[in-house]
Amino acid sequence: MKQYRVLIDAKDEKGLVYKIASIFYKHELNIMSNNEFVDKDNDKFFMRSVVEGMVDADQLEAELEAVLPEDSSVEIVKAVKKNIILMVTKESHALGDILIRYEAGELDANILAVVSNYDLLEPLVSKFNIPYITVSHEGLEREAHEEAILKALGQFKDVDYIVLAKYMRILTPRFVEAYEDKIINIHHSFLPAFIGANPYKQAFERGVKIIGATAHFVNNNLDEGPIIAQEIKHIDHAYGWRDMQRSGRDVEKIVLSRALKLALEDRIFVHANKTVIF
Amino acid sequence: MKQYRVLIDAKDEKGLVYKIASIFYKHELNIMSNNEFVDKDNDKFFMRSVVEGMVDADQLEAELEAVLPEDSSVEIVKAVKKNIILMVTKESHALGDILIRYEAGELDANILAVVSNYDLLEPLVSKFNIPYITVSHEGLEREAHEEAILKALGQFKDVDYIVLAKYMRILTPRFVEAYEDKIINIHHSFLPAFIGANPYKQAFERGVKIIGATAHFVNNNLDEGPIIAQEIKHIDHAYGWRDMQRSGRDVEKIVLSRALKLALEDRIFVHANKTVIF
Amino acid sequence: MKQYRVLIDAKDEKGLVYKIASIFYKHELNIMSNNEFVDKDNDKFFMRSVVEGMVDADQLEAELEAVLPEDSSVEIVKAVKKNIILMVTKESHALGDILIRYEAGELDANILAVVSNYDLLEPLVSKFNIPYITVSHEGLEREAHEEAILKALGQFKDVDYIVLAKYMRILTPRFVEAYEDKIINIHHSFLPAFIGANPYKQAFERGVKIIGATAHFVNNNLDEGPIIAQEIKHIDHAYGWRDMQRSGRDVEKIVLSRALKLALEDRIFVHANKTVIF
Amino acid sequence: MKQYRVLIDAKDEKGLVYKIASIFYKHELNIMSNNEFVDKDNDKFFMRSVVEGMVDADQLEAELEAVLPEDSSVEIVKAVKKNIILMVTKESHALGDILIRYEAGELDANILAVVSNYDLLEPLVSKFNIPYITVSHEGLEREAHEEAILKALGQFKDVDYIVLAKYMRILTPRFVEAYEDKIINIHHSFLPAFIGANPYKQAFERGVKIIGATAHFVNNNLDEGPIIAQEIKHIDHAYGWRDMQRSGRDVEKIVLSRALKLALEDRIFVHANKTVIF
């Protein structure tokens, strides 16, 4: 018995569920879980099914493609570990949260490396026997620095996701394109509020009564990529911006780890700069 | 074009989705929304689909029944207004929340009457031109009082739901059986904590840091019926039990109204003293 | 025995608490509750004490002023009902929530009138025997319309707060100045995100995973006044903007009512476009 | 300049604030932060002040004691690191969360050791150069096992707190008395619901729509000690008990770490089986 995740992203049309269910039924697949969503505004159909049975993955994919509208995307994923690379700067909370889950075997992932522009977190990462690569930005133009990072990343094949676990530098379009829809960032505000640098300072200045964090895919517009998950925390007038920062870390790390888990389980579809999450 | 809610509660078996989708496809029904859940522990399949098309409701029901396992329940609901009766005692917040929604046309329901053991809320209810029936419990045994209420309710036909919007008396099994799975209560605690009388006092005594409310169907065990919705609110040591009560009202009314809306939209399935909610 | 709320807003300096406590002690005042906050960035001291005793209000105020730094503000408030005016447009949820609380005697306020640019909500308001004043904006320039509203408001003396319970028009500086720090608005987003028109549409376009509401004092910059309270609600990809709107109403009304209650109890201090809330 | 936390737990009486403030004023102490609470039901006054100045701690304590009612407790704490011991069984999430914070220097604590009835988490703990002591319960009566643990703990002097970071065995009164008001536990439910073993299974059976976690001091009644912090998470019908367990871990670890932080900062007062938290 094999188990697959069937991921379908298609133009919506009448009968899709029937056609897909027919194929599952013909192969006597056991449907372990099933989620569908029709985006009526964009005429799109999304489906994630976990099926179990004797069918061959390539054959299943071919048969599904044959009944779906043109330009549909069908992916049959075996639930294997994905390869991820973490990028960090100086703060350890989001990184640490991922490392502890990793050590506990909670993540369906191999952490290939942790990349940073500082060597500060090397002692922590090395405890977990994960390669730590420091690419200092000192004395380098942004482009040259990124070139060096890309080169360092280049040695790793089949990278599924790059997780910016509080990597505090802006990525250039060149970098983003190299890993399109594969970079997950945690931003320390409830976007679209407080885009850019020092969101906690911005939040303090504005006198908000909540702070938050947003996990999102990175695109070429700063903090404007498709949002995966968001969470907030209530605060009051007694919070200085450093209190917000301290206290916001728990929100940040939980939201990032939640988004990472969704990605590793192939639960996220991206369309029109938004996510559908099953 | 007709629109129906198709509600299916069946023993789970392979091919159910295929068989149901085939019937929808044959009749060229447009699936407006679709939710399924398989309860693997209990081998149960639940589905709620909103479909649009030209088919006759009785025919659709018959065809679905023909392909589903024995003992399945199929219901085809036209989205018409349901008939509800509210029961209250002295507090107006939950009642008022429903009345304001009612007046705004937000509820797919006719409020046939408000029944109370006090006349205190009559002035409020009469503003909305809804019959208010006082059945005082003074001088009556519990059974005699309920008999009187049941008699008062008896004049209303086709009651879909009885909503206990802070009705503060315990119902006897006789009453509960008369309206099985049709009575929705709001209990002012996060059940199963603080069952019974004065949950806020109990919460105060225990020194909890959260208070809450639970909307549930009423069965014969006090506060142990199937839970529909729950919500909480953070409190601190400065809250006396009356502060909890005051502050908990917002949670109570929102949770009850949310549960009522779910019921009116046929989004709740009950099985094994739990709810599946779409 | 008299009970007062003592509200102090002063430049911070060493010994303030001692000096104030000395005066309370001298008059044998019983301190029912006490809150202080020192804003170290701005060198400000805020205090709200509820005291009980035999002292005369004017004398207490004079004595406190004598020991506080220059430019301090001392206010001795008897807990009497405040006068409020509500302004609405077409939606009834925030208005209705206030009316139900009002009817229950939960608000320490007199609602002098409800003012609207439509007559739509008159039937609801008239149930509660509150004057409803329609000032249509049709055919009027913004200034002329506001002039008419200001004239209508002018007949009411001693207005403590104007509550914009989903009043959907932007107020001009002239209006805001006439009721400085007295206008409370509910904005249907977690500010500073989605300022301006149609925040739910903006939220839908952005693909956020939370929606929210913000109660704030109105100043001359749209949606940029001091924030009093904020709350959010989780949503997912299945929410169209109308679903957000429907579902956001519960957040809006609860947040506005909470802010109003804080104002009525003199729990809000405003400084540097922020609020201190006790 | 010295900085102290002044912790006062006294019988309430008129003039307390004045008397305390007089002493602070006399010594020209700078009040960095101040919190008071009067528990009127129990006639109790609690205060936590952070003061800065030149006074000697013993003198300050003596002067405060002189003006406070008999049986008052005054503690002058220098903000030094506290000594803590962690106890765990098999799960690493709560432990890991504390270790990462520890490594980041976020905790004002020395972790003297981690004690467990299994050696399973030794590899994780040893990464952080913290002694790991396995005291297996195999083949031992509860009393004998605890005796062995107490002996192991006995080698550590000045233990301020014992943190049960998912230690899954019930402690006997002998143990609890040895570390009265010093043992902090995390229970994986919103107490008082689901006391005892397998709260997630209990929650699943009951069909609740929220799960939660409670950090509390341990007393001799299982899960009935003073509550420090509670948090919840919404779930739905699709959650099996293992999903609840997995998903509840984030709540557990954050609540425990929050409670630990409150304890380390001397922000918790215990009275009448409840906590006052500043």
Side-chain angles (χ1 to χ4, degrees):
Chain A
M1 295 285 276
K2 296 159 195 167
Q3 196 177 84
Y4 303 117
R5 293 172 191 159
V6 180
L7 311 173
I8 295 174
D9 174 336
K11 188 176 165 303
D12 187 36
E13 59 176 39
K14 223 180 269 185
L16 277 187
V17 171
Y18 163 68
K19 287 168 188 167
I20 295 163
S22 303
I23 292 170
F24 288 175
Y25 188 59
K26 183 181 111 188
H27 290 291
E28 298 189 327
L29 295 177
N30 205 1
I31 299 173
M32 309 304 288
S33 79
N34 187 45
N35 293 93
E36 306 151 25
F37 175 64
V38 174
D39 175 348
K40 292 196 186 301
D41 292 329
N42 293 298
D43 240 348
K44 292 281 294 178
F45 173 89
F46 302 96
M47 189 169 116
R48 180 188 184 272
S49 284
V50 178
V51 298
E52 212 175 58
M54 300 296 295
V55 74
D56 174 76
D58 290 344
Q59 189 189 341
L60 182 59
E61 189 175 325
E63 290 189 24
L64 286 167
E65 271 173 357
V67 302
L68 292 170
E70 260 184 77
D71 296 330
S72 296
S73 143
V74 180
E75 215 182 327
I76 313 290
V77 186
K78 286 182 202 165
V80 290
K81 294 198 171 192
K82 296 201 195 313
N83 295 318
I84 65 175
I85 288 176
L86 310 180
M87 290 179 67
V88 298
T89 294
K90 288 180 170 175
E91 289 176 290
S92 67
H93 57 288
L95 169 67
D97 197 67
I98 293 171
L99 292 176
I100 294 294
R101 289 173 203 265
Y102 187 62
E103 174 86 3
E106 201 187 311
L107 297 183
D108 277 334
N110 302 306
I111 301 179
L112 304 180
V114 176
V115 177
S116 179
N117 49 331
Y118 290 94
D119 60 7
L120 200 73
L121 297 173
E122 178 155 27
L124 174 60
V125 171
S126 65
K127 293 183 202 307
F128 294 84
N129 299 315
I130 296 166
Y132 188 92
I133 304 170
T134 304
V135 183
S136 173
H137 62 279
E138 293 226 6
L140 294 182
E141 301 280 329
R142 182 178 305 279
E143 287 70 20
H145 180 234
E146 269 197 7
E147 208 56 50
I149 292 183
L150 282 170
K151 205 175 147 193
L153 294 179
Q155 66 187 287
F156 301 101
K157 301 287 168 232
D158 302 321
V159 176
D160 292 291
Y161 290 105
I162 292 180
V163 182
L164 307 183
K166 300 286 284 180
Y167 179 70
M168 305 307 279
R169 292 173 63 84
I170 297 170
L171 300 175
T172 68
R174 173 157 153 61
F175 194 107
V176 174
E177 272 153 37
Y179 295 94
E180 205 185 341
D181 280 348
K182 292 184 164 182
I183 311 174
I184 298 172
N185 183 43
I186 182 72
H187 183 74
H188 39 306
S189 81
F190 42 87
L191 287 175
F194 309 130
I195 284 175
N198 289 324
Y200 290 124
K201 271 191 191 163
Q202 293 182 55
F204 176 73
E205 291 305 323
R206 180 59 186 92
V208 289
K209 300 298 184 186
I210 50 177
I211 55 173
T214 304
H216 63 97
F217 287 113
V218 175
N219 67 11
N220 279 327
N221 298 313
L222 184 60
D223 300 330
E224 296 194 0
I227 293 173
I228 305 168
Q230 298 187 284
E231 194 52 83
I232 65 103
K233 187 185 183 312
H234 288 264
I235 58 165
D236 62 32
H237 56 264
Y239 280 70
W241 78 264
R242 287 196 178 282
D243 302 306
M244 294 182 189
Q245 185 186 48
R246 248 190 306 273
S247 158
R249 281 181 188 134
D250 284 350
V251 180
E252 294 168 22
K253 74 186 186 191
I254 297 298
V255 170
L256 180 61
S257 287
R258 196 193 304 162
L260 176 56
K261 193 166 187 292
L262 291 169
L264 295 177
E265 296 178 355
D266 297 302
R267 294 181 178 278
I268 314 175
F269 289 76
V270 175
H271 180 72
N273 207 42
K274 296 185 190 181
T275 60
V276 171
I277 293 180
F278 292 135
Chain B
M1 296 285 277
K2 297 159 193 166
Q3 197 177 83
Y4 303 117
R5 293 172 190 158
V6 180
L7 311 173
I8 294 174
D9 174 337
K11 188 175 164 303
D12 187 36
E13 59 177 39
K14 224 179 271 185
L16 276 187
V17 171
Y18 163 67
K19 287 168 188 168
I20 295 163
S22 303
I23 292 169
F24 289 175
Y25 188 58
K26 184 182 111 188
H27 290 292
E28 298 190 327
L29 296 176
N30 205 1
I31 300 173
M32 308 304 288
S33 79
N34 187 44
N35 293 93
E36 307 150 25
F37 175 65
V38 174
D39 175 347
K40 292 195 186 302
D41 292 330
N42 293 299
D43 240 348
K44 293 281 294 179
F45 173 88
F46 302 96
M47 189 171 115
R48 178 187 185 274
S49 283
V50 178
V51 297
E52 212 176 58
M54 301 298 295
V55 73
D56 174 77
D58 291 344
Q59 189 189 342
L60 182 60
E61 188 175 325
E63 289 188 25
L64 286 166
E65 271 173 357
V67 302
L68 292 171
E70 261 185 77
D71 296 329
S72 296
S73 141
V74 180
E75 214 182 329
I76 313 290
V77 186
K78 286 182 203 166
V80 291
K81 293 198 171 194
K82 296 199 195 312
N83 294 318
I84 65 175
I85 288 176
L86 310 181
M87 290 179 66
V88 298
T89 293
K90 288 181 170 176
E91 288 175 291
S92 68
H93 57 288
L95 168 67
D97 197 66
I98 293 172
L99 292 177
I100 293 293
R101 290 174 202 265
Y102 187 61
E103 172 86 4
E106 201 186 312
L107 296 183
D108 276 335
N110 303 305
I111 301 180
L112 305 180
V114 176
V115 177
S116 178
N117 50 331
Y118 289 94
D119 59 7
L120 199 72
L121 298 173
E122 178 154 26
L124 174 60
V125 171
S126 65
K127 292 184 202 306
F128 294 85
N129 299 316
I130 296 166
Y132 188 92
I133 303 170
T134 304
V135 182
S136 172
H137 62 279
E138 292 226 6
L140 294 182
E141 301 279 328
R142 181 179 304 280
E143 286 72 19
H145 180 235
E146 270 198 5
E147 207 58 51
I149 292 184
L150 282 171
K151 204 175 149 196
L153 294 180
Q155 67 187 286
F156 301 101
K157 301 288 168 235
D158 302 321
V159 176
D160 291 292
Y161 290 106
I162 292 180
V163 181
L164 307 183
K166 300 286 287 181
Y167 179 70
M168 305 308 279
R169 293 174 61 85
I170 297 169
L171 299 175
T172 68
R174 172 159 154 58
F175 194 107
V176 174
E177 273 154 37
Y179 294 94
E180 205 184 342
D181 279 348
K182 292 184 165 182
I183 310 174
I184 298 173
N185 183 43
I186 182 72
H187 183 74
H188 38 308
S189 80
F190 41 89
L191 288 175
F194 309 129
I195 283 176
N198 289 324
Y200 289 124
K201 271 191 192 163
Q202 294 181 54
F204 176 73
E205 290 305 323
R206 180 60 187 92
V208 289
K209 299 298 185 187
I210 50 177
I211 55 174
T214 304
H216 63 96
F217 286 113
V218 175
N219 67 12
N220 279 327
N221 298 312
L222 183 61
D223 299 330
E224 296 193 0
I227 292 173
I228 304 167
Q230 299 187 282
E231 196 52 82
I232 64 104
K233 187 186 183 311
H234 288 265
I235 58 165
D236 62 32
H237 56 264
Y239 281 70
W241 77 264
R242 286 194 179 284
D243 302 306
M244 294 182 188
Q245 185 186 48
R246 247 190 307 272
S247 156
R249 282 181 188 136
D250 284 349
V251 181
E252 295 168 21
K253 74 186 186 191
I254 297 298
V255 170
L256 179 61
S257 288
R258 197 193 304 162
L260 175 57
K261 193 166 186 294
L262 291 169
L264 296 177
E265 296 179 354
D266 298 302
R267 293 181 178 278
I268 314 175
F269 290 77
V270 174
H271 179 72
N273 207 41
K274 296 184 190 180
T275 60
V276 171
I277 294 181
F278 292 134
Chain C
M1 296 284 277
K2 297 161 194 164
Q3 196 176 84
Y4 303 116
R5 294 172 191 158
V6 180
L7 312 174
I8 295 173
D9 174 338
K11 189 175 164 303
D12 187 38
E13 59 176 42
K14 224 179 271 186
L16 277 187
V17 171
Y18 163 68
K19 288 169 188 166
I20 295 164
S22 303
I23 293 170
F24 289 175
Y25 187 60
K26 182 182 110 186
H27 290 290
E28 297 190 329
L29 296 178
N30 205 2
I31 300 173
M32 309 305 287
S33 80
N34 186 45
N35 294 92
E36 307 150 25
F37 175 65
V38 175
D39 175 347
K40 293 197 184 299
D41 292 329
N42 293 299
D43 241 348
K44 292 281 293 177
F45 172 88
F46 302 96
M47 189 170 116
R48 178 188 186 273
S49 283
V50 179
V51 298
E52 213 175 58
M54 301 296 297
V55 74
D56 174 76
D58 290 343
Q59 188 188 344
L60 183 58
E61 189 175 324
E63 289 189 26
L64 286 167
E65 270 171 359
V67 301
L68 292 171
E70 258 185 79
D71 295 330
S72 297
S73 142
V74 180
E75 213 182 329
I76 313 289
V77 186
K78 286 183 202 164
V80 290
K81 293 198 173 194
K82 296 200 195 313
N83 295 318
I84 65 175
I85 289 176
L86 310 181
M87 289 180 66
V88 298
T89 294
K90 289 180 170 176
E91 288 176 289
S92 67
H93 57 287
L95 168 67
D97 197 68
I98 293 171
L99 292 177
I100 294 293
R101 290 174 202 265
Y102 186 61
E103 173 85 5
E106 201 186 312
L107 296 183
D108 277 334
N110 303 307
I111 302 180
L112 305 181
V114 177
V115 178
S116 178
N117 50 330
Y118 290 95
D119 59 8
L120 200 73
L121 297 173
E122 178 154 27
L124 174 61
V125 170
S126 65
K127 293 183 202 308
F128 293 85
N129 299 316
I130 296 166
Y132 187 93
I133 304 170
T134 304
V135 183
S136 173
H137 62 280
E138 293 227 6
L140 294 182
E141 301 279 328
R142 180 179 307 280
E143 286 69 21
H145 180 234
E146 270 197 4
E147 208 56 51
I149 292 184
L150 282 171
K151 205 176 148 193
L153 294 179
Q155 67 187 287
F156 301 102
K157 302 285 169 235
D158 302 322
V159 176
D160 291 291
Y161 290 106
I162 293 180
V163 182
L164 308 183
K166 301 287 285 181
Y167 179 69
M168 305 306 280
R169 293 174 62 85
I170 297 169
L171 300 174
T172 68
R174 171 157 155 62
F175 194 109
V176 174
E177 272 153 38
Y179 294 95
E180 207 185 339
D181 279 348
K182 292 185 165 181
I183 311 174
I184 298 173
N185 184 43
I186 183 71
H187 183 74
H188 38 308
S189 81
F190 41 88
L191 287 176
F194 310 129
I195 284 176
N198 289 324
Y200 290 125
K201 272 190 192 163
Q202 293 182 54
F204 176 74
E205 290 305 323
R206 180 59 187 93
V208 289
K209 300 298 185 188
I210 51 177
I211 55 174
T214 304
H216 64 97
F217 287 112
V218 175
N219 67 12
N220 280 327
N221 298 312
L222 183 61
D223 301 329
E224 297 193 0
I227 293 174
I228 305 167
Q230 299 187 282
E231 195 52 83
I232 64 103
K233 186 186 183 312
H234 288 265
I235 57 164
D236 63 31
H237 56 264
Y239 281 70
W241 77 264
R242 287 197 179 281
D243 302 306
M244 293 181 189
Q245 185 186 48
R246 248 190 305 274
S247 156
R249 283 182 188 134
D250 284 350
V251 181
E252 295 167 21
K253 76 186 187 191
I254 297 298
V255 170
L256 179 60
S257 287
R258 197 192 304 163
L260 175 57
K261 192 166 187 295
L262 292 168
L264 295 177
E265 296 178 355
D266 297 303
R267 293 181 177 277
I268 313 175
F269 289 77
V270 174
H271 179 72
N273 207 41
K274 296 185 191 180
T275 61
V276 171
I277 293 180
F278 292 135
Chain D
M1 295 285 275
K2 298 160 194 164
Q3 195 176 83
Y4 303 116
R5 294 171 190 158
V6 179
L7 311 174
I8 296 174
D9 174 338
K11 187 174 165 304
D12 187 37
E13 60 176 41
K14 222 179 272 187
L16 278 187
V17 171
Y18 163 68
K19 288 169 187 165
I20 296 163
S22 304
I23 293 170
F24 289 175
Y25 187 61
K26 181 181 112 189
H27 290 291
E28 298 190 330
L29 296 178
N30 205 0
I31 300 172
M32 309 305 287
S33 79
N34 187 45
N35 294 91
E36 309 151 24
F37 175 64
V38 175
D39 175 348
K40 294 198 184 298
D41 293 329
N42 294 298
D43 241 347
K44 293 281 293 179
F45 173 87
F46 303 96
M47 189 170 116
R48 178 187 185 275
S49 284
V50 179
V51 298
E52 213 175 58
M54 301 298 295
V55 73
D56 174 76
D58 291 344
Q59 190 189 343
L60 182 58
E61 188 175 326
E63 290 188 26
L64 286 166
E65 271 172 356
V67 301
L68 292 170
E70 260 186 79
D71 296 329
S72 296
S73 142
V74 180
E75 214 182 328
I76 313 289
V77 186
K78 286 181 203 167
V80 290
K81 293 197 173 196
K82 297 200 194 311
N83 294 318
I84 64 175
I85 288 176
L86 310 181
M87 290 179 67
V88 298
T89 294
K90 289 179 170 177
E91 288 175 290
S92 67
H93 58 288
L95 168 66
D97 197 67
I98 293 171
L99 292 177
I100 293 293
R101 290 175 201 264
Y102 187 61
E103 174 85 5
E106 200 187 312
L107 297 182
D108 276 335
N110 302 306
I111 301 180
L112 305 180
V114 176
V115 177
S116 179
N117 50 331
Y118 290 95
D119 59 8
L120 199 73
L121 297 174
E122 177 153 29
L124 174 61
V125 171
S126 65
K127 292 183 202 308
F128 293 84
N129 299 315
I130 296 166
Y132 188 93
I133 304 170
T134 304
V135 183
S136 172
H137 62 280
E138 293 228 5
L140 293 183
E141 301 279 328
R142 180 178 306 278
E143 286 71 20
H145 180 235
E146 269 198 5
E147 207 56 50
I149 292 183
L150 282 171
K151 204 176 149 194
L153 294 180
Q155 67 187 286
F156 300 101
K157 301 288 168 234
D158 302 321
V159 176
D160 291 291
Y161 290 106
I162 292 180
V163 181
L164 308 183
K166 300 287 286 180
Y167 179 70
M168 305 307 279
R169 293 174 61 86
I170 297 169
L171 300 174
T172 68
R174 172 158 154 60
F175 193 108
V176 174
E177 273 153 38
Y179 294 95
E180 206 186 339
D181 279 348
K182 292 184 166 181
I183 310 174
I184 298 173
N185 183 44
I186 182 71
H187 183 73
H188 38 308
S189 81
F190 41 88
L191 287 175
F194 310 129
I195 284 175
N198 289 324
Y200 290 124
K201 272 191 192 163
Q202 293 183 54
F204 176 73
E205 291 304 324
R206 180 59 187 90
V208 289
K209 300 298 185 188
I210 50 176
I211 55 174
T214 304
H216 63 97
F217 286 113
V218 175
N219 68 11
N220 280 327
N221 298 312
L222 183 59
D223 300 329
E224 296 193 2
I227 292 173
I228 305 167
Q230 299 187 283
E231 195 51 84
I232 65 104
K233 186 186 182 311
H234 288 265
I235 57 164
D236 62 32
H237 56 264
Y239 280 70
W241 77 264
R242 286 196 179 282
D243 302 306
M244 294 181 188
Q245 185 185 49
R246 248 190 306 272
S247 156
R249 281 181 189 136
D250 284 349
V251 181
E252 295 168 20
K253 75 185 185 192
I254 297 298
V255 170
L256 179 60
S257 288
R258 195 192 305 163
L260 175 57
K261 193 165 186 294
L262 292 169
L264 295 177
E265 295 178 355
D266 297 302
R267 294 182 177 277
I268 314 175
F269 289 75
V270 174
H271 180 71
N273 207 42
K274 296 184 190 180
T275 61
V276 170
I277 293 180
F278 291 134

